[in-house]
Amino acid sequence: MIFMNMVDRERELQALKKRLSSNDLELIIIYGRRRIGKTFLILNAVNGYDFIYYLATEKNNLRKFKELAESKYEDIKYVKEDWEAIFHYLRDKIIIIDEFPYMIKEDESVLSTFQKIVDETLKGSKTKLILLGSSISMMEDAISYKSPLYGRRTASIELKELKFKDLKGFNFSLIDAIHVYGFAGGVPFYLTKAKTPFLKWINAELKEVDSFIKDEIDFMLRYEFSEIGTYKEILHAISSGKNTLGEIKDFVKISGDVSSYLNKLEKIGIIGKEFPYKMKKGARYYIKDNFTLFWFTFIYPNLSLIEEGIYEIKEDEYNVYLGRIFEKIAREYVEDVYKVKVERLWFKDVEIDIYGDGIAGECKWSEGINGEKVLYELKRKVEDLGLDVKKYIIFAKSFSKTNEEAEFIDLKKLEQWYKT
């Protein structure tokens, strides 16, 4: 089996290898959204070891797991078709079960069964039992204090998206990286699929009858929810600028409380919420995940045209969209360079793109920006809100005017950071 180089997963990889080389029983939990690279990570970690890898399905997992084990260890055919009996035979081996939530959905008692296996059947062994899952909510529930498996895990990894700066590991130039990041975010699968120039590739991809992009969100949401229609409409509302609880409810036209839907989307990391400055009410919701934002901005509203093969994303439309993406990249720059936590700040009609720990900044995804004017307007906002700011940072593609009162980051300076 040939493995590609890992991109920004070295810490996780080394942690797993350390666990695999131990003489102790290990119960390792790895979870994260679909396409984030969980399987890729664990198969890299066990490369060179003898292991069993089983991808769970919706039905008959016990029988299928035994059949798989028999293909590797013929004598298991004489073992009773029972989880405890099979695991007793597999003591001291590496056992990987991918998409473990399918097994929970099939039979919730599997959690109690696996508790008994860990506590009794595998006690004192060197077995490495590794459970993977794409349903964040179900995997978190499986290791919560209410679960039979609580306290049994020896390690857990929530695999998250790569940062923008990591895209250099995929050999994208800065400009190409910005365009691709708006589509793929930091999800490795999407990053390996995307090609440059991006708009040429995406428009050709959308004309493919079997393009993965068309129903990708449906697959992702079904890992978490049995009924996805309302969740899709909520995400469509947020992507369309309906950001408050009332606006979302009016857009979706849902009967009852929309908060429970929003809470679940927030729990799995698809959306977030921002409060007005120094307030804990009146939240605005936003989509955190770039691919989800891209999908609901360009794909969902145009599915009929895409099916007809006549839809294309225009360059000017995508540039408007990239304004929001550029803000995320700018915040990553500030956090990386200055080692501070920053966020978007707003109160009533005043908005500041970057704020935190004495730093305030603005982002303009345009050429020839008058930096002095942007700085003047930013200072007015800071004064209106009574903020204590010691450093100003302005981002743009390029500037026509700058001065010494702020740090002005154009694409050339951003590229120097990106390449380091």
Side-chain angles (χ1 to χ4, degrees):
M1 188 176 291
I2 298 174
F3 294 95
M4 295 168 53
N5 291 330
M6 304 293 284
V7 176
D8 195 44
R9 299 296 195 207
E10 281 301 319
R11 288 176 64 250
E12 293 90 345
L13 186 62
Q14 293 308 313
L16 287 171
K17 286 183 174 181
K18 184 177 179 181
R19 295 284 177 178
L20 292 169
S21 64
S22 78
N23 290 319
D24 301 318
L25 167 64
E26 301 278 356
L27 173 58
I28 302 169
I29 309 293
I30 303 174
Y31 64 105
R33 59 166 291 166
R34 170 180 163 89
R35 310 290 203 184
I36 204 67
K38 302 177 295 296
T39 306
F40 183 75
L41 173 65
I42 194 59
L43 292 180
N44 269 271
V46 300
N47 189 28
Y49 288 91
D50 182 27
F51 64 91
I52 289 180
Y53 171 83
Y54 173 68
L55 178 60
T57 61
E58 294 177 336
K59 298 290 183 184
N60 301 314
N61 284 291
L62 176 57
R63 174 175 58 79
K64 291 174 182 176
F65 182 83
K66 187 173 186 289
E67 289 172 353
L68 174 73
E70 284 178 22
S71 69
K72 200 167 181 86
Y73 306 104
E74 188 176 349
D75 288 348
I76 289 188
K77 65 184 178 182
Y78 303 111
V79 174
K80 182 181 177 183
E81 193 174 286
D82 172 88
W83 285 115
E84 293 172 62
I86 296 169
F87 271 86
H88 184 270
Y89 184 93
L90 295 174
R91 278 173 64 92
D92 299 328
K93 293 180 171 53
I94 297 173
I95 306 157
I96 304 165
I97 299 178
D98 205 344
E99 295 305 349
F100 184 60
Y102 280 136
M103 290 173 56
I104 301 173
K105 285 181 180 179
E106 182 186 17
D107 180 6
E108 286 189 9
S109 70
V110 76
L111 291 169
S112 297
T113 301
F114 273 51
Q115 174 203 346
K116 189 175 181 182
I117 288 170
V118 172
D119 289 351
E120 299 177 14
T121 308
L122 301 179
K123 185 178 180 181
S125 73
K126 300 177 184 178
T127 311
K128 310 295 183 279
L129 175 55
I130 305 162
L131 307 178
L132 284 67
S134 297
S135 172
I136 295 172
S137 57
M138 289 189 72
M139 291 300 284
E140 288 183 342
D141 287 345
I143 57 177
S144 72
Y145 73 94
K146 294 181 180 179
S147 168
L149 285 181
Y150 177 70
R152 273 75 182 178
R153 61 175 167 160
T154 57
S156 64
I157 297 173
E158 181 184 1
L159 211 56
K160 297 188 177 182
E161 291 192 28
L162 303 174
K163 294 183 178 180
F164 169 75
K165 199 176 179 182
D166 296 322
L167 269 64
K168 66 178 180 291
F170 294 83
N171 297 316
F172 291 120
S173 68
L174 174 67
I175 289 295
D176 285 339
I178 293 170
H179 283 79
V180 170
Y181 188 63
F183 158 77
V187 179
F189 177 83
Y190 306 144
L191 291 169
T192 58
K193 284 287 187 181
K195 295 179 176 58
T196 57
F198 173 72
L199 282 177
K200 180 180 179 180
W201 171 77
I202 191 66
N203 284 324
E205 178 66 25
L206 291 179
K207 289 181 173 61
E208 297 291 334
V209 175
D210 59 348
S211 173
F212 75 96
I213 296 172
K214 297 175 186 178
D215 53 9
E216 183 70 4
I217 286 292
D218 286 26
F219 280 112
M220 186 177 77
L221 291 177
R222 285 195 180 107
Y223 276 102
E224 303 291 348
F225 313 115
S226 56
E227 188 282 311
I228 64 172
T230 301
Y231 291 98
K232 288 172 71 174
E233 284 301 300
I234 288 171
L235 290 168
H236 183 206
I238 297 172
S239 71
S240 303
K242 313 301 181 184
N243 303 116
T244 68
L245 201 61
E247 288 173 339
I248 294 167
K249 186 172 181 178
D250 289 344
F251 185 94
V252 177
K253 295 180 170 46
I254 185 173
S255 59
D257 187 13
V258 75
S259 299
S260 61
Y261 293 93
L262 291 166
N263 290 340
K264 290 174 183 176
L265 287 169
E266 189 177 1
K267 180 181 178 181
I268 62 174
I270 292 181
I271 68 170
K273 59 184 175 185
E274 302 168 322
F275 290 93
Y277 180 54
K278 288 187 175 181
M279 295 182 69
K280 291 298 180 185
K281 60 180 181 179
R284 291 181 184 174
Y285 292 87
Y286 66 97
I287 296 176
K288 295 172 68 174
D289 167 48
N290 283 8
F291 181 81
T292 302
L293 180 60
F294 173 91
W295 200 87
F296 281 97
T297 301
F298 297 105
I299 308 304
Y300 191 57
N302 299 293
L303 282 172
S304 297
L305 296 177
I306 291 170
E307 286 301 318
E308 290 185 60
I310 58 175
Y311 176 70
E312 287 194 351
I313 300 173
K314 301 292 189 288
E315 185 174 359
D316 58 344
E317 293 175 329
Y318 198 60
N319 265 318
V320 171
Y321 168 80
L322 284 180
R324 287 181 279 181
I325 303 303
F326 192 50
E327 289 180 20
K328 293 179 69 172
I329 295 169
R331 283 191 281 270
E332 182 180 323
Y333 171 93
V334 174
E335 291 184 346
D336 184 52
V337 172
Y338 292 98
K339 312 304 179 189
V340 299
K341 179 67 178 173
V342 296
E343 57 189 354
R344 194 172 69 95
L345 183 147
W346 63 278
F347 183 77
K348 295 183 178 179
D349 60 345
V350 178
E351 296 189 8
I352 297 176
D353 296 334
I354 300 167
Y355 177 74
D357 200 30
I359 295 175
E362 291 283 273
C363 306
K364 303 293 181 183
W365 181 244
S366 299
E367 302 272 7
I369 291 295
N370 184 336
E372 290 183 343
K373 182 180 178 182
V374 175
L375 177 60
Y376 172 78
E377 292 170 349
L378 176 57
K379 285 183 173 181
R380 287 278 302 272
K381 294 178 184 179
V382 166
E383 185 179 340
D384 288 345
L385 295 178
L387 305 177
D388 180 19
V389 172
K390 298 178 176 62
K391 185 172 185 64
Y392 293 94
I393 308 177
I394 312 297
F395 292 83
K397 288 184 179 180
S398 64
F399 294 97
S400 60
K401 286 185 179 181
T402 61
N403 58 34
E404 302 299 317
E405 297 180 48
E407 182 178 0
F408 293 90
I409 307 295
D410 58 15
L411 291 183
K412 289 182 180 179
K413 290 183 179 177
L414 196 65
E415 187 172 26
Q416 294 173 5
W417 164 74
Y418 173 71
K419 288 182 176 180
T420 58

